[in-house]
């Protein structure tokens, strides 16, 4: 049970002062102040600026250190400072509550929850014992420096940690989110996508170890369906008359059957090569009903995705192709489709929630028409030829 301090303890005046300490890494400014319940708190403000001129970024003079203290005291008086709160909860409690909220209140997809739980386990292992009110940006920065992972993975940890503390603000009254002040590492975004050509797709199909795998590779490359969407595709989703495939669900080995990644049902054009291949596959002896899977396992259930990827790599070797991921078959569709269709149409077919994701494929377009238009703009009036170069 939470025990509030006695009234006379809460009424003690809030006051404080700053002082400078010489450390091995250089002089530092500290602030020391008293809370309304009588507790005294000491916090490092930052490195002291001792040279002339304007202070370097992140350094403090006595005047700016005193300004920092005044802001902290104002937050304490308003009850908004982290030192003013006693939650009696630790980070492990907040992580469990955030995962509960993500599953039941936000209704996240099973695959998303699996990823969240994996990330939260590392956070609980390192920070689970920490009292919520003791979580500071400085402490979290030091923790971030211990993560021996890629910058993308560091960002994933910080996103989850931010969500945990944001939920704690609502549940335990934490006045601020310390993770919000932790700087995220830079990740260089690249729009360069490696994909197969049409000829390479046909070579991959020929290198498949079986007809079902051959049809799977062709369908993946010429429809852009994700692996989970392909594994959950049923014959009732294949509309031969309408020349389309309905993407209604997605299978994840960890989360089971769910909706597509975007959460929306979509329709993808089915070109003649895919329609003929699917029709040939449906001519098999079993698993051909509307509710049967198009690409089932041996007994009609969902395929083992790991075994499928192993067979895919073997097909690449037999075809003499470079070792692109199975997911790059989806990129193959994007790079081929954007050459003939407008970007919003490709976005809808691929199920992208953000058009910027689809824009990655635009540089694969044939810009011959645009080049000819610019040629007319750059040609002098009345001239039939281009620039005359010296001999």
């Amino acid at each position: 049970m939470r025990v509030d301090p006695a009234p006379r303890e809460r009424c003690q005046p809030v006051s404080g002062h700053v002082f400078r300490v010489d450390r091995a890494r250089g002089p530092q400014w500290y602030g020391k102040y008293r809370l309304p319940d009588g507790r005294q708190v000491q916090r490092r403000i930052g490195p002291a600026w001792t040279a002339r001129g304007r202070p370097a970024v992140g350094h403090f003079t006595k005047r700016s250190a005193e300004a920092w203290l005044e802001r902290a005291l104002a937050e304490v008086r308003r009850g908004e400072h982290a030192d003013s709160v006693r939650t009696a909860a630790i980070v492990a409690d907040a992580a469990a509550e955030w995962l509960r909220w993500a599953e039941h209140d936000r209704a996240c997809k099973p695959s998303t929850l699996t990823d969240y739980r994996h990330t939260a386990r590392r956070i609980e292992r390192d920070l689970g014992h920490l009292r919520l009110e003791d979580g500071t940006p400085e402490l979290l920065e030091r923790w971030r420096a211990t993560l021996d992972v890629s910058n993308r993975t560091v960002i994933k940890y910080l996103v989850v940690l931010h969500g945990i503390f944001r939920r704690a603000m609502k549940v335990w009254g934490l006045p601020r989110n310390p993770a919000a002040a932790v700087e995220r590492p830079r990740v260089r975004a690249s729009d360069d996508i490696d994909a197969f050509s049409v000829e390479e797709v046909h070579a991959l199909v020929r290198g498949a170890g079986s007809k079902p795998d051959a049809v799977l590779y062709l369908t993946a490359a010429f429809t852009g369906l994700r692996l989970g969407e392909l594994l959950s595709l049923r014959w009732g989703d294949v509309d031969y008359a309408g020349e389309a495939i309905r993407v209604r669900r997605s299978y994840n080995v960890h989360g089971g059957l769910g909706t597509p990644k975007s959460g929306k049902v979509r329709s993808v054009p089915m070109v003649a090569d895919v329609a003929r291949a699917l029709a040939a596959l449906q001519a098999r002896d079993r698993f051909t009903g509307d509710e049967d899977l198009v690409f089932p396992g041996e007994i009609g259930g969902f395929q083992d995705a790991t075994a499928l990827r192993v067979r895919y790599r073997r097909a690449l070797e037999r075809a003499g192709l470079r070792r692109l991921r199975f997911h790059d078959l989806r990129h193959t569709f994007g790079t081929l489709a954007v050459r003939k269709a407008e970007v919003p149409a490709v976005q809808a077919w691929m199920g992208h929630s953000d058009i910027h994701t689809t824009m990655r494929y635009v540089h694969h377009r044939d810009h011959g028409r645009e080049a000819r238009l610019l040629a007319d703009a750059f040609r002098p009036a009345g001239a039939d030829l281009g620039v005359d170069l010296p001999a």
Side-chain angles (χ1 to χ4, degrees):
M1 177 186 295
R2 174 175 172 172
V3 180
D4 291 329
R8 60 186 179 87
E9 293 179 324
R10 291 201 301 265
C11 294
Q12 292 191 22
V14 175
S15 61
H17 66 281
V18 299
F19 59 97
R20 203 178 86 175
V21 177
D22 290 330
R23 301 290 190 193
R25 57 182 174 176
Q28 306 286 319
W29 281 108
Y30 283 81
K32 189 173 184 178
Y33 46 92
R34 184 190 304 275
L35 300 178
D37 61 7
R39 287 181 293 144
Q40 291 192 13
V41 178
Q42 180 173 304
R43 292 281 182 263
R44 187 179 77 90
I45 299 174
W49 180 253
T50 57
R52 293 181 178 274
R54 184 186 297 274
V57 176
H59 288 65
F60 293 82
T61 63
K62 182 178 181 181
R63 178 175 295 179
S64 58
E66 289 174 339
W68 180 96
L69 177 66
E70 285 302 318
R71 289 193 297 271
L73 295 179
E75 291 177 348
V76 170
R77 295 186 184 102
R78 294 195 303 267
E80 297 176 354
H81 199 279
D83 293 324
S84 305
V85 178
R86 286 182 173 178
T87 64
I90 58 178
V91 171
D93 299 326
E97 164 58 24
W98 179 75
L99 288 171
R100 184 211 62 77
W101 169 81
E103 180 177 4
H104 298 288
D105 297 357
R106 196 180 174 195
C108 291
K109 296 178 60 176
S111 56
T112 302
L113 289 171
T114 299
D115 195 37
Y116 282 166
R117 292 190 184 102
H118 177 77
T119 305
R121 275 198 297 270
R122 172 65 188 269
I123 293 173
E124 290 181 31
R125 189 187 75 188
D126 295 348
L127 304 173
H129 64 283
L130 184 72
R131 296 188 309 171
L132 288 179
E133 53 268 35
D134 291 339
T136 64
E138 294 81 11
L139 185 147
L140 299 183
E141 285 278 7
R142 291 197 299 272
W143 171 73
R144 192 202 76 165
T146 67
L147 298 174
D148 187 19
V149 293
S150 68
N151 283 355
R152 289 186 184 277
T153 304
V154 170
I155 291 174
K156 182 189 296 186
Y157 282 127
L158 293 179
V159 168
V160 170
L161 190 64
H162 186 279
I164 289 172
F165 276 105
R166 183 175 57 187
R167 183 64 184 165
M169 293 173 66
K170 295 183 179 181
V171 176
W172 285 279
L174 202 66
R176 62 174 56 183
N177 187 337
V182 179
E183 187 174 352
R184 298 181 183 181
R186 183 177 180 181
V187 175
R188 294 186 180 277
S190 175
D191 288 338
D192 191 22
I193 293 173
D194 203 357
F196 292 117
S197 66
V198 174
E199 292 75 18
E200 288 175 324
V201 171
H202 284 271
L204 176 64
V205 170
R206 290 192 298 270
S210 66
K211 180 187 288 187
D213 280 353
V215 178
L216 177 67
Y217 304 153
L218 184 71
T219 305
F222 289 175
T223 66
L225 269 64
R226 302 176 178 92
L227 178 56
E229 295 166 348
L230 289 162
L231 295 182
S232 62
L233 188 67
R234 302 182 188 276
W235 287 115
D237 302 323
V238 180
D239 183 0
Y240 291 109
E243 300 179 281
I245 292 177
R246 319 293 179 193
V247 185
R248 306 178 188 273
R249 57 193 74 81
S250 182
Y251 174 73
N252 180 277
V253 65
H254 299 294
L257 198 61
T259 59
K261 187 175 181 179
S262 64
K264 299 178 181 179
V265 174
R266 70 182 190 277
S267 180
V268 182
M270 180 171 57
V271 297
D273 284 346
V274 173
R276 282 193 294 268
L278 288 172
L281 185 62
Q282 197 173 13
R284 63 195 179 197
D285 296 332
R286 55 179 183 164
F287 309 134
T288 59
D290 283 352
E291 293 302 313
D292 288 323
L293 295 173
V294 176
F295 303 108
E298 291 184 3
I299 59 175
F302 293 106
Q303 278 200 53
D304 181 342
T306 301
L308 188 154
R309 288 190 174 93
V310 170
R311 299 196 306 272
Y312 167 73
R313 287 194 291 270
R314 290 172 180 168
L316 289 177
E317 293 172 1
R318 286 192 291 267
L321 299 174
R322 60 197 187 283
R323 195 166 177 174
L324 299 188
R325 304 166 302 165
F326 187 93
H327 189 74
D328 290 320
L329 292 172
R330 174 171 164 83
H331 290 325
T332 297
F333 172 81
T335 59
L336 295 174
V338 80
R339 296 175 184 176
K340 298 295 182 180
E342 296 300 323
V343 173
V346 178
Q347 178 191 6
W349 297 337
M350 299 192 72
H352 290 153
S353 57
D354 188 343
I355 198 168
H356 289 94
T357 305
T358 318
M359 290 297 292
R360 295 179 300 168
Y361 301 110
V362 170
H363 68 277
H364 288 272
R365 274 186 163 177
D366 180 358
H367 294 283
R369 180 173 177 273
E370 289 88 345
R372 289 189 292 272
L373 288 173
L374 288 176
D376 291 338
F378 298 156
R379 184 178 296 116
D384 294 328
L385 301 176
V387 178
D388 292 325
L389 296 177

